[in-house]
């Protein structure tokens, strides 16, 4: 069993920055791809960014490319999302997820991820 716990969310003004963390327990995730998704009120959960087990590969949604950076520290069993130049439309609950399939490809749909955290709220104000 895997437990994922997100932290670091909060209220920030547009143009500001936040750093989210996702700590894993119950199982080492160093062999698996991880990802961030988000869900705004009234909208479906959407892909934000993914990172391979070695951190050698990353992939971003077009909406966050150049502003967000995904990273991981396998020694700490933790993943991060550095969010800069935040916009009002970045407001959402952010979830981390783990893909235990060991696929060579980074995945972008919610159905391909096996474990999820409970989410952390990010609110961007004007």
């Amino acid at each position: 069993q895997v437990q994922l716990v997100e932290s670091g969310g909060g209220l920030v003004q547009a143009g500001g920055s936040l750093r989210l963390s996702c700590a894993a327990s119950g199982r080492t995730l160093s062999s698996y791809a991880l990802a961030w998704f988000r869900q705004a009120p009234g909208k479906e959960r959407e892909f934000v960014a993914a990172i391979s087990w070695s951190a050698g590969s990353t992939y971003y949604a077009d909406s966050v490319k150049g502003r967000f950076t995904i990273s991981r520290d396998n020694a700490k069993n933790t993943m991060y999302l550095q969010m800069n130049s935040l916009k009002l439309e970045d407001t959402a609950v952010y979830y981390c997820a783990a893909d235990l399939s060991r696929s060579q490809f980074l995945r972008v749909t919610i159905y391909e991820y096996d474990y999820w955290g409970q989410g952390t709220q990010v609110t961007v104000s004007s």
Side-chain angles (χ1 to χ4, degrees), residues 34-84:
L34 302 173
W36 289 97
F37 287 77
R38 67 186 181 185
Q39 188 166 17
K43 295 188 177 182
E44 294 186 350
R45 193 170 299 189
E46 65 174 6
F47 171 79
V48 175
I51 188 167
S52 64
W53 69 272
S54 66
S57 296
T58 58
Y59 185 71
Y60 296 91
D62 288 344
S63 58
V64 306
K65 200 173 296 182
R67 301 188 297 120
F68 290 11
T69 302
I70 189 171
S71 62
R72 65 191 296 168
D73 184 338
N74 285 339
K76 296 182 178 180
N77 224 21
T78 301
M79 173 179 63
Y80 306 97
L81 185 68
Q82 178 67 43
M83 305 186 295
N84 298 329

Side-chain angles (χ1 to χ4, degrees), residues 3-19:
Q3 293 80 41
L4 302 174
V5 179
E6 303 94 337
S7 62
L11 175 64
V12 63
Q13 285 192 323
S17 298
L18 279 176
R19 188 194 195 206

Side-chain angles (χ1 to χ4, degrees), residues 2 16 21 26 32 43 68-69 90 96 102 126:
V2 175
S21 298
Y32 307 111
K43 295 188 177 182
F68 290 11
T69 302
D90 294 319
C96 63
R102 302 197 183 192
S126 59

